[in-house]
Amino acid sequence: MAEVKLYGSWSSPFSHRIEVALKLKGVEYEFISEDVHNKSPLLLKYNPVHKKIPVLVHNGKPICESLVILEYIDETWEEGPSLLPKDPYERAMVRFWAKLLDEKGLPAMLKACLRIGEEQEKAKEESTELLKFLEGTLSGNKFFGGDTIGMVDIVANFMSYWFIIWQELAGLQVLTKEKFPKLGEWMDEYLNSDIIKENLPPKDKLTEYFQARFEATAAANAAAAGGGGLPK
Amino acid sequence: MAEVKLYGSWSSPFSHRIEVALKLKGVEYEFISEDVHNKSPLLLKYNPVHKKIPVLVHNGKPICESLVILEYIDETWEEGPSLLPKDPYERAMVRFWAKLLDEKGLPAMLKACLRIGEEQEKAKEESTELLKFLEGTLSGNKFFGGDTIGMVDIVANFMSYWFIIWQELAGLQVLTKEKFPKLGEWMDEYLNSDIIKENLPPKDKLTEYFQARFEATAAANAAAAGGGGLPK
């Protein structure tokens, strides 16, 4: 039997992408919890370039970068539900949106919640613009993947769950059901799907975790604004 | 017959990736030259999210983002030489390195040549570290793709040609044959391959183009350092 290990962290949307894909495919795996502030020698050996979770280790061979891992899972366990469609043009569209969400979407939405002033306003605008594009792609479909959960839905997990917590903590209303009704319906469908619902980290625990992180960032911002923490 | 159009620019390594892939596959296409400072309405219609070249339009349907386009070309014109291997693990490795070169490599190497002071030193270090990893992956192979040119070689085109021009203009010696002998051999093999050699933009024209761009950046840096261009 193949040996599948996932080096990840319970609070990470990147790590969660891989868990969801493996569960959807019905692949048994061992989850190895990494402390992101004190990384294990094995993680550093498996991912010497980025030194980051998630890393999937399949029969001793490591694969890094969540988007790369998702495509590997889809190509390796073909018998399960497909994460990407078969048609080359549809596959290109999936890769385009997954890349955009990963490279622009997540950083912009996190910045919108963590930064202040002009930087925050810019990140809010960028997030809103991106959300408008995403709202437009959901015409009549339950999921970004059509009738079933696909790679874009999985990559967008941060939007449906993590960002909702982040914007609550930051007191923002960037992504709401009123502003983006189709994305609102998509979030409900996604979060209420069996495999997703059963595997999301508990909301209160995640809120607590990010509250501490957000407070630390706010303190660092204040210290920087006050000239390295010295009273003015 | 299928209609293939490429919206690109002669001086862009991103655009050049697509030209090389189409030529390797033997796909006939029409090249539509875009002025990157005055983009055409069609380009903005085809790529409303990023508003950037290259865009491949195949039978009226646009595909954006060079890495996404390369995979589309490989999956659509299967009869030509493969840009990605067949094995899922090897495919994952190709995607990993292509992504790294695209997202970290090119920006770091460009910054190393365009920025000054501490920012430049940091970008030089980042570039050197990345080059060491790349040197390590070339063990005994002519190309990153093995015996033939593959997706990683194509994505790395900026390194073998553009960066050599950039570092000459900036007076740097980050990537040299002495420091990176395997990358040096790879560059020779790549640049002397028939299809590559015949399609590269002329070195003197490219040097002239980037010299003007580098001088404009230097002037902007000097103006910023001098408080918006006012004499101190």
Side-chain angles (χ1 to χ4, degrees), chain A residues 65 109 144 179 191 208 211:
Chain A
E65 295 280 66
M109 293 184 203
F144 289 107
K179 286 182 188 165
L191 298 175
E208 204 180 309
Q211 186 158 19

Side-chain angles (χ1 to χ4, degrees), chain A residues 48-50 61-65 68 71-72 75-76 88-89 91-93 95-96 99-100 102-103 133, chain B residues 48-50 61-65 68 71-72 75-76 88-89 91-93 95-96 99-100 102-103 133:
Chain A
V49 176
H50 299 292
K61 286 150 90 180
I63 305 115
C64 306
E65 295 280 66
V68 175
E71 292 223 39
Y72 176 80
E75 291 177 352
T76 301
Y89 188 76
R91 291 169 75 81
M93 292 304 104
R95 290 186 180 121
F96 175 84
K99 188 174 157 68
L100 182 71
D102 194 58
E103 287 173 29
F133 280 118
Chain B
V49 176
H50 299 291
K61 286 151 88 180
I63 305 116
C64 307
E65 295 279 66
V68 175
E71 293 223 40
Y72 176 79
E75 291 177 351
T76 300
Y89 188 76
R91 290 168 76 80
M93 292 304 104
R95 290 186 181 122
F96 174 84
K99 188 174 158 68
L100 181 72
D102 194 58
E103 287 172 29
F133 280 118

Side-chain angles (χ1 to χ4, degrees), chain A:
Chain A
M1 202 183 128
E3 194 195 53
V4 182
K5 290 181 182 186
L6 173 61
Y7 290 76
S9 162
W10 70 273
S11 62
S12 157
F14 303 100
S15 181
H16 192 70
R17 287 173 186 168
I18 312 307
E19 289 205 80
V20 164
L22 292 170
K23 300 264 182 190
L24 284 170
K25 289 276 188 181
V27 178
E28 297 280 331
Y29 65 96
E30 183 188 344
F31 184 79
I32 295 136
S33 181
E34 282 284 333
D35 176 356
V36 291
H37 304 292
N38 184 19
K39 290 161 187 171
S40 75
L42 260 183
L43 177 71
L44 301 179
K45 182 190 135 192
Y46 285 139
N47 193 356
V49 176
H50 299 292
K51 304 178 177 73
K52 278 184 184 165
I53 56 124
V55 177
L56 187 77
V57 182
H58 185 200
N59 291 328
K61 286 150 90 180
I63 305 115
C64 306
E65 295 280 66
S66 68
L67 267 54
V68 175
I69 301 172
L70 289 176
E71 292 223 39
Y72 176 80
I73 290 172
D74 205 37
E75 291 177 352
T76 301
W77 291 279
E78 285 183 316
E79 64 277 13
S82 293
L83 306 181
L84 281 94
K86 296 291 164 229
D87 174 74
Y89 188 76
E90 289 176 28
R91 291 169 75 81
M93 292 304 104
V94 164
R95 290 186 180 121
F96 175 84
W97 290 108
K99 188 174 157 68
L100 182 71
L101 281 160
D102 194 58
E103 287 173 29
K104 307 266 183 202
L106 198 152
M109 293 184 203
L110 193 55
K111 264 191 191 171
C113 299
L114 281 177
R115 301 294 168 86
I116 48 174
E118 205 178 313
E119 258 194 302
Q120 182 180 44
E121 286 310 311
K122 220 181 123 193
K124 276 164 68 178
E125 271 169 41
E126 199 189 334
S127 302
T128 301
E129 199 191 1
L130 179 71
L131 290 167
K132 281 182 196 165
F133 280 118
L134 287 166
E135 176 88 357
T137 67
L138 271 171
S139 51
N141 283 330
K142 252 166 87 168
F143 299 110
F144 289 107
D147 287 335
T148 55
I149 291 173
M151 182 161 158
V152 177
D153 300 283
I154 295 173
V155 173
N157 67 358
F158 74 89
M159 215 164 70
S160 58
Y161 200 66
W162 275 259
F163 182 54
I164 301 302
I165 293 174
W166 298 341
Q167 72 171 5
E168 266 176 39
L169 286 169
L172 300 182
Q173 295 208 307
V174 175
L175 171 53
T176 65
K177 288 178 184 179
E178 291 68 39
K179 286 182 188 165
F180 299 101
K182 282 178 195 163
L183 286 172
E185 281 171 42
W186 163 76
M187 283 195 274
D188 287 341
E189 288 283 358
Y190 182 77
L191 298 175
N192 288 312
S193 307
D194 287 343
I195 283 184
I196 308 304
K197 198 165 55 183
E198 291 157 15
N199 290 288
L200 282 169
K203 198 182 166 182
D204 52 352
K205 201 179 155 197
L206 206 58
T207 305
E208 204 180 309
Y209 174 86
F210 280 104
Q211 186 158 19
R213 206 184 133 181
F214 278 35
E215 280 167 9
T217 306
N221 282 343
L230 293 168
K232 274 194 166 173

Side-chain angles (χ1 to χ4, degrees), chain B residues 12 28 48 59 90 103 126 132 168-169 183 193 207-208 213 230:
Chain B
S12 156
E28 296 279 331
N59 291 329
E90 289 176 29
E103 287 172 29
E126 200 189 333
K132 281 182 195 164
E168 266 176 39
L169 286 169
L183 286 172
S193 307
T207 304
E208 204 180 310
R213 208 185 130 180
L230 294 168

Side-chain angles (χ1 to χ4, degrees), chain B residues 31-181:
Chain B
F31 185 79
I32 294 136
S33 181
E34 282 284 332
D35 176 356
V36 292
H37 304 292
N38 184 20
K39 291 161 186 172
S40 75
L42 260 183
L43 177 71
L44 301 178
K45 181 191 136 192
Y46 285 138
N47 192 357
V49 176
H50 299 291
K51 304 178 177 72
K52 277 183 184 166
I53 56 124
V55 176
L56 186 77
V57 181
H58 185 199
N59 291 329
K61 286 151 88 180
I63 305 116
C64 307
E65 295 279 66
S66 68
L67 267 55
V68 175
I69 301 173
L70 289 175
E71 293 223 40
Y72 176 79
I73 290 172
D74 205 37
E75 291 177 351
T76 300
W77 290 281
E78 285 183 316
E79 62 277 13
S82 293
L83 306 181
L84 281 92
K86 295 291 164 231
D87 174 74
Y89 188 76
E90 289 176 29
R91 290 168 76 80
M93 292 304 104
V94 164
R95 290 186 181 122
F96 174 84
W97 290 107
K99 188 174 158 68
L100 181 72
L101 281 160
D102 194 58
E103 287 172 29
K104 307 266 183 200
L106 198 152
M109 293 185 203
L110 193 55
K111 264 190 192 174
C113 300
L114 281 177
R115 301 294 168 86
I116 47 174
E118 205 178 314
E119 260 194 301
Q120 182 179 45
E121 287 310 311
K122 221 182 122 192
K124 275 164 69 179
E125 272 168 40
E126 200 189 333
S127 302
T128 302
E129 198 191 4
L130 179 71
L131 290 168
K132 281 182 195 164
F133 280 118
L134 287 166
E135 176 88 357
T137 66
L138 272 171
S139 52
N141 283 330
K142 252 166 87 168
F143 299 110
F144 289 107
D147 287 335
T148 55
I149 291 173
M151 182 162 159
V152 177
D153 300 283
I154 296 172
V155 173
N157 67 358
F158 72 90
M159 215 163 70
S160 58
Y161 200 67
W162 276 259
F163 182 54
I164 300 302
I165 293 174
W166 297 340
Q167 73 172 5
E168 266 176 39
L169 286 169
L172 300 182
Q173 295 208 308
V174 174
L175 171 53
T176 65
K177 288 178 184 178
E178 291 68 40
K179 286 182 187 166
F180 299 101

